[in-house]
Every structure is written in C-alpha cells, then in structure tokens.
Amino acid sequence: MVLCLALCNNMIGQIVLTHPWQNLKVAFFGDSVTDPNNKAARKHYWNWLEQWLGITPYVYAVSGREWNDIPNQTRQLSAQHGDDVDAIVVFVGTNDFNAGVPIGRWYDETAADVEAALGKPKATVRRLKRTPSMDSSTYRGRINTALDLLKRTYPSKLIVLLTPLHRGYATFGPDNIQPSEAYQNSCGEYVDAYVESVKQAGNVWAVPVIDLNAVSGLNPMVNEQLIYFGDKTTDRLHPNDEGHRRLAQTLYWQLLTVR
C-alpha cells in the first residue's frame, strides 16, 4: 500500500511517502483478539498489517490472558528474539474487566526526607513521595508491573498500547457466559474504567496510546454493526474477518503518527 500526497486538485504532482512502520519487526502481545488460534477470524489485524506494510509479526497473544500475563509475553519475546524487534504493541484489558479485577491506583505514597533548595541554602525537608504501585491484584498495578518490565527490557524500542474494544454479549459454554458492556462487572465497574486506565497509562509511562475503543468504529452494542463480529447469537465480542480488516485500517492510519 502506497501513501500519496496530492499537491493540487488536478493531481499534477504527488509526493510518495513511505509508511514509518514499513518492514518493521513488530511483537504483538494480548488476548484472544490477537491470538492466531482464535477462530472468529481467519485473518487477524496483524495479518493485514503484514500484507500492507511488510512487517514481520511476532505474536505472543493467548486467549483469555489479562494484563498480568504481559510480563510472561515479554520474557518469551526476549528469549526468542532478544533485541531484534522494532516495536511492541500491547492490546489487552478486556479480560481483566470480565474477571472483575479491581482498578486500584497508579501510585503508593509514603513520607520521605529529601534535599531541596529554591533561592536559599539547601535543606532536608519532609515530603510525600510516590512510587508506582505494583499490586498484582489490581488493574493499574498489573499495568505498572508490565510496563516497568517492558521499559527495562526494551528501553529503546517503541511500545504502543491499544485500548480494549467495546464488548457485546458472548457465550462459550455453561461456565463461560459474558454479559455485554451494558452491565457492571463483579467489582462494580463498567468497562469504561478499564479503557480509561490504559489511556492514563500513556501519561504514567510515556508511551503512545491508540484508543481503539473510540476510533475503530466497532461497537457490537449496535445490532447493525454485528457484521463485524463473530456470531450474532453466541459471540458479539470477537471481531470477524471484516472486523479485523477494519481494525487494521484504523491502525494503518493511526500508526503514521507513532514512530
């Protein structure tokens, strides 16, 4: 796929641009939406990006995984490819919502002494100090733990977060029935809180975030949009082939500004 910028309406001149993600080696972390073994789609969004951009995809996503599995996926990438990767895309969080993982907090605060000086000699003062919460029982603690490891393992690599998609009803058996996003989860949160936390993580950890919840155009809560999802009766959660193509188109353009 070639990007052309027309210089005038009659197309007298064009500038041909190379997409900044062209031919990159990209790791994809996440859950069933990214997992190649998920059968809701035969061709996933990263397959489309491979076709359009010539990327080499390293896919570590596994169905059912939550943010607390991202450190494991990071270690797998490091063991198999070392530093030979250009970018890492993390697309996870919907299962944390479904599991009722509490949101938690970004920071723990403690009182500590610190030297400070501002227009007068330095002095030791007592102030509150914050450190990232690493509480693995909370959503934000899990995000902190994962991004801390990613930043330390790949300090010079591009890390991109994708927010969870909108959620429709799904049933995969008598012991796996997932209500739509119209309902709170077991800890009393709507999915919005999990989406918003991923967006906030961009500021906490200085990583770009693509808000697929907003810009993908996929919303299974609208019946007419079920053309993009696995099955109208049993799976309004996972994008189908057309849904993944639309995700890929969204990412193709969004990634132009991320490099």
Side-chain angles (χ1 to χ4, degrees):
M1 188 178 289
V2 177
L3 294 172
C4 293
L5 175 65
L7 297 182
C8 54
N9 290 335
N10 60 9
M11 302 293 285
I12 290 175
Q14 291 182 342
I15 298 175
V16 179
L17 304 177
T18 299
H19 196 291
W21 283 57
Q22 192 77 38
N23 299 323
L24 295 190
K25 297 173 181 176
V26 184
F28 292 92
F29 295 170
D31 50 41
S32 56
V33 178
T34 305
D35 186 350
N37 295 311
N38 183 275
K39 303 305 181 185
R42 293 166 296 180
K43 192 169 184 178
H44 291 71
Y45 68 90
W46 47 266
N47 293 122
W48 286 107
L49 295 177
E50 180 181 17
Q51 176 180 326
W52 296 337
L53 294 174
I55 67 168
T56 300
Y58 303 145
V59 184
Y60 291 92
V62 179
S63 179
R65 295 300 193 264
E66 303 168 13
W67 261 101
N68 60 356
D69 193 59
I70 299 305
N72 180 53
Q73 296 179 34
T74 301
R75 288 187 285 268
Q76 288 183 60
L77 172 65
S78 180
Q80 294 181 11
H81 296 284
D83 203 46
D84 189 24
V85 62
D86 299 301
I88 300 156
V89 176
V90 184
F91 189 11
V92 71
T94 193
N95 291 316
D96 298 79
F97 163 77
N98 187 55
V101 177
I103 294 296
R105 58 187 180 274
W106 289 118
Y107 299 103
D108 296 323
E109 285 187 327
T110 57
D113 293 331
V114 62
E115 283 190 343
L118 183 61
K120 56 184 178 180
K122 69 179 180 180
T124 298
V125 295
R126 191 78 166 170
R127 294 180 179 174
L128 284 177
K129 177 185 178 181
R130 68 182 188 180
T131 56
S133 171
M134 300 296 177
D135 184 352
S136 63
S137 68
T138 71
Y139 189 60
R140 291 176 178 173
R142 291 176 172 190
I143 294 174
N144 281 341
T145 300
L147 292 181
D148 180 72
L149 180 61
L150 268 171
K151 284 279 193 174
R152 293 176 189 276
T153 307
Y154 293 105
S156 65
K157 306 301 181 180
L158 181 61
I159 300 166
V160 181
L161 307 184
L162 310 181
T163 62
L165 299 173
H166 286 274
R167 291 178 56 94
Y169 169 82
T171 176
F172 306 112
D175 60 349
N176 190 355
I177 300 173
Q178 303 185 26
S180 77
E181 66 177 43
Y183 299 90
Q184 291 179 327
N185 64 8
S186 60
C187 69
E189 297 282 1
Y190 288 104
V191 72
D192 312 56
Y194 297 79
V195 173
E196 186 62 31
S197 289
V198 174
K199 292 160 66 175
Q200 292 177 11
N203 290 97
V204 173
W205 287 97
V207 293
V209 179
I210 297 176
D211 187 4
L212 287 183
N213 190 268
V215 301
S216 70
L218 299 181
N219 189 345
M221 300 299 289
V222 179
N223 285 336
E224 288 75 8
Q225 283 219 307
L226 294 177
I227 56 174
Y228 292 117
F229 291 87
D231 185 275
K232 293 181 180 180
T233 303
T234 61
D235 187 2
R236 300 181 174 202
L237 181 65
H238 297 106
N240 59 17
D241 287 328
E242 282 305 308
H244 274 277
R245 181 183 175 91
R246 183 157 181 167
L247 282 178
Q249 289 174 329
T250 301
L251 289 171
Y252 181 92
W253 295 106
Q254 293 288 318
L255 291 172
L256 279 171
T257 63
V258 181
R259 185 67 177 94

